[in-house]
Amino acid sequence: MAIVKSTGISGPQRGLAEQVFSRAAGAPLVPGNCVNLLRDARENYPAWLSAIHLARRSILFENYIIEDDEVGRSFAQALEARARDGVRVRVLYDWLGCQGNASRGFWLRLRDAGVEVRCFNPFQFDRPLAWLGRNHRKTLTVDGEVGFVSGLCVSHKWLGVPEKGVAPWRDTGLEIRGPAVADLVRAFAQGWGTVGPALDEEACLSDRAPEALGEVALRVVAGVPWSAGLFRVDQLIASLARKRLWLTDAYFVGTAAYVQALRAASRDGVDVRLLVPGSSDIPVLRPLTQAGYRPLLEAGIRVYEWNGTMLHAKTAVADGLWARVGSSNLNPASWLGNSEIDVAVEDTQFARQMESMYMQDLEHATEVVLGGRDRRLVPANPRPLPRSQRGASGQRGRVSRAAAGAMRLGNTVGAAVSNHRELGRTESKVVFIAGVVPLVLAGAVLWWPQAVAVPVAALCAWAGVALWSRALRLRRQEAEHPEEPRPVAEAATPPVPEVAAPRLPTEVEPRNAPEAERRQP
């Protein structure tokens, strides 16, 4: 494994390190792939549509946002045409991501053409908080032979407005051919099966799926809520990087543990850089966003703000050996709350491509530095993109940035209350605003108790009715299926016979073990 080579680990220890990565990510290392790096929608969308037009057996398409605009309709027409020609087309969209972006008629037209369409996690009255977990994945798999993973949604925002001089949203994707495509099919099947009947994975795979088509080894990290697989991988990479760790993220809200890992790497001589969006369409979030920079800057981490339109890419590259591209942001929502998918590539040539692209991005970014008592912005390039080419982030970007701002606010307020870290001068506005909120709430309680009592009572009533509704549904299911075996009480469970503990192997499993043995269940 490339990143392991950079640490000087060899022999049996190297096999053990690979096992650590596989278990942390919940994904095995799959060799023999061909990977193509795709930049922005102008390279991703044509590649997606071309693969759809060439489909012969199956199309698996999932995305967080599919908008009913000229871009969304072009994809819908391509999917409908293949479905009418007998190709099994399945589309999985997220309920929250597509709210206000695609009408019911948009999905009905797809279904009428023979496309199987499912909605992920729609709002349910008896599950008030279930809607918080979203399917944030963006994948396309065709015939089990070619797959695409990216941070791109399907919307005109990713193409920009050329006639008005508005550049496309900055984003990154991958085209994958080889044995790893089977892991993309399995990841889609996992999300598809949470909404309805399970997917026949074998019917979506090609007979040539196991064949090696290249020399790139990679892992498909398909995260599900509370698995934290990618978080563990990001922690490992931050710990193992020896020379460079360059990150790009749309909504960075690092946890204390991850920020500490980045700070430790920087202080150990690693060139750690973070590229984030440069502007927000919600001005109040500006101080919240910048407040998160100080702990990084003080540790020597270089922070850059993108000067163009919305920066939506989620990538990382370490030591010119390891790289990651996918849908996960560096924040708790992606690490813990959402279903995400990322590809961790362990190949020197691909990593060099990623580093070259990163340096090109920095030519259109502004570096944030600490100067004197206040932070000042220093241009990394004397000729950044003109403001006329900077577009608004869009509604969904505002929602995500609002969530990120709320997390930063919570981190700052928590530090002010618990005193677990020193606050920076730039966080004074955040702390002041946070102090105003409880004072206003206290005044409302004293002078107008109903302003607090009524919402609390409504929430409590909702929770009670939701729990009763779930209980009635469970009782109804129990009455309709009385023949199903009931769970055995713990006290009545027969004792398990004692079995001698297996002996641990004295040597680490060799790297060239059979695929069936290396893969995790």
Side-chain angles (χ1 to χ4, degrees):
M1 178 165 57
I3 195 68
V4 176
K5 292 179 183 177
S6 71
T7 64
I9 299 176
S10 60
Q13 290 181 334
R14 181 171 150 197
L16 179 61
E18 288 188 6
Q19 186 181 66
V20 169
F21 265 84
S22 295
R23 292 185 178 180
L29 184 67
V30 182
N33 301 281
C34 177
V35 178
N36 185 23
L37 181 63
L38 302 174
R39 177 170 176 153
D40 298 335
R42 289 173 291 188
E43 295 183 3
N44 281 270
Y45 286 172
W48 298 4
L49 289 170
S50 176
I52 291 173
H53 290 312
L54 296 175
R56 302 183 305 276
R57 295 182 308 277
S58 70
I59 298 174
L60 309 177
F61 188 38
E62 64 178 334
N63 212 292
Y64 181 64
I65 298 174
I66 301 177
E67 190 168 356
D68 186 3
D69 58 9
E70 61 273 17
V71 174
R73 286 189 290 272
S74 67
F75 276 91
Q77 292 168 3
L79 296 172
E80 292 167 5
R82 302 315 296 139
R84 292 192 182 99
D85 289 341
V87 178
R88 292 292 300 272
V89 182
R90 299 173 177 89
V91 175
L92 179 63
Y93 71 93
D94 186 83
W95 173 82
L96 181 62
C98 290
Q99 280 293 307
N101 286 317
S103 63
R104 180 174 298 182
F106 179 83
W107 307 116
L108 287 177
R109 288 192 296 271
L110 282 171
R111 292 188 174 98
D112 290 342
V115 178
E116 301 175 50
V117 180
R118 292 184 183 178
C119 176
F120 182 86
N121 196 15
F123 176 78
Q124 300 179 59
F125 179 82
D126 59 349
R127 300 180 181 181
L129 300 180
W131 65 273
L132 295 175
R134 308 316 316 169
N135 183 354
H136 197 243
R137 298 174 179 176
K138 294 96 175 177
T139 69
L140 170 65
T141 308
V142 176
D143 292 338
E145 296 181 359
V146 58
F148 300 87
V149 176
S150 71
L152 287 85
C153 297
V154 180
S155 170
H156 69 280
K157 301 182 184 73
W158 271 261
L159 286 176
V161 187
E163 58 272 17
K164 296 183 179 180
V166 178
W169 281 18
R170 176 68 188 89
D171 221 322
T172 305
L174 296 179
E175 177 185 357
I176 304 171
R177 297 179 185 270
V181 177
D183 288 343
L184 297 181
V185 172
R186 296 185 187 97
F188 181 90
Q190 179 273 325
W192 186 260
T194 62
V195 184
L199 176 71
D200 183 2
E201 299 178 20
E202 295 301 324
C204 299
L205 290 174
S206 168
D207 295 336
R208 296 178 295 175
E211 297 180 4
L213 299 179
E215 300 179 352
V216 178
L218 58 85
R219 304 176 192 274
V220 176
V221 185
V224 295
W226 304 109
S227 65
L230 186 66
F231 177 71
R232 293 191 295 268
V233 171
D234 286 336
Q235 289 276 73
L236 282 174
I237 294 301
S239 301
L240 290 176
R242 302 180 66 184
K243 298 178 181 178
R244 298 179 299 279
L245 177 57
W246 296 349
L247 308 168
T248 301
D249 199 70
Y251 308 108
F252 176 81
V253 187
T255 63
Y258 186 64
V259 170
Q260 178 58 31
L262 295 180
R263 286 164 55 92
S266 179
R267 287 171 173 166
D268 202 27
V270 179
D271 177 11
V272 182
R273 305 186 186 190
L274 174 64
L275 176 62
V276 294
S279 61
S280 171
D281 51 353
I282 303 179
V284 71
L285 292 184
R286 183 68 173 175
L288 297 178
T289 301
Q290 293 186 337
Y293 296 163
R294 179 168 288 274
L296 304 175
L297 296 171
E298 289 177 343
I301 298 172
R302 302 181 70 177
V303 178
Y304 297 85
E305 292 185 336
W306 177 251
N307 292 333
T309 52
M310 177 63 185
L311 175 73
H312 198 259
K314 306 97 166 50
T315 66
V317 57
D319 288 344
L321 300 167
W322 179 94
R324 172 179 63 82
V325 176
S327 67
S328 297
N329 291 297
L330 298 175
N331 62 41
S334 285
W335 282 327
L336 298 175
N338 295 336
S339 293
E340 305 276 3
I341 191 163
D342 296 82
V343 176
V345 181
E346 299 176 6
D347 180 78
T348 54
Q349 183 177 355
F350 179 82
R352 285 196 294 268
Q353 287 183 298
M354 291 287 292
E355 287 189 335
S356 176
M357 185 176 66
Y358 197 91
M359 295 304 296
Q360 293 174 15
D361 287 342
L362 293 189
E363 293 178 359
H364 304 293
T366 298
E367 184 172 7
V368 181
V369 299
L370 292 173
R373 296 180 50 131
D374 301 313
R375 178 167 57 249
R376 57 188 174 89
L377 302 181
V378 177
N381 176 14
R383 294 176 298 177
L385 292 179
R387 289 190 174 273
S388 61
Q389 297 185 19
R390 306 182 191 182
S393 299
Q395 181 178 1
R396 293 297 159 187
R398 290 197 296 268
V399 172
S400 299
R401 292 190 71 82
M407 294 178 187
R408 291 191 182 95
L409 178 61
N411 291 339
T412 301
V413 174
V417 174
S418 61
N419 199 32
H420 67 267
R421 68 172 175 87
E422 183 180 355
L423 296 173
R425 296 184 182 92
T426 57
E427 295 176 292
S428 61
K429 294 181 181 179
V430 178
V431 177
F432 177 80
I433 295 173
V436 171
V437 174
L439 290 175
V440 172
L441 184 60
V445 172
L446 290 174
W447 295 100
W448 191 18
Q450 293 84 353
V452 177
V454 173
V456 171
L459 290 175
C460 290
W462 184 7
V465 173
L467 292 174
W468 278 5
S469 176
R470 291 293 302 278
L472 292 174
R473 182 182 301 177
L474 293 174
R475 292 292 297 273
R476 190 180 301 112
Q477 292 176 354
E478 183 180 9
E480 292 175 354
H481 305 282
E483 71 280 358
E484 293 184 359
R486 299 174 179 269
V488 181
E490 184 176 357
T493 304
V496 179
E498 296 184 358
V499 180
R503 296 179 58 188
L504 296 175
T506 57
E507 295 184 0
V508 179
E509 178 185 1
R511 185 177 181 180
N512 59 355
E515 184 70 16
E517 296 178 7
R518 287 193 292 109
R519 288 184 178 273
Q520 296 182 354

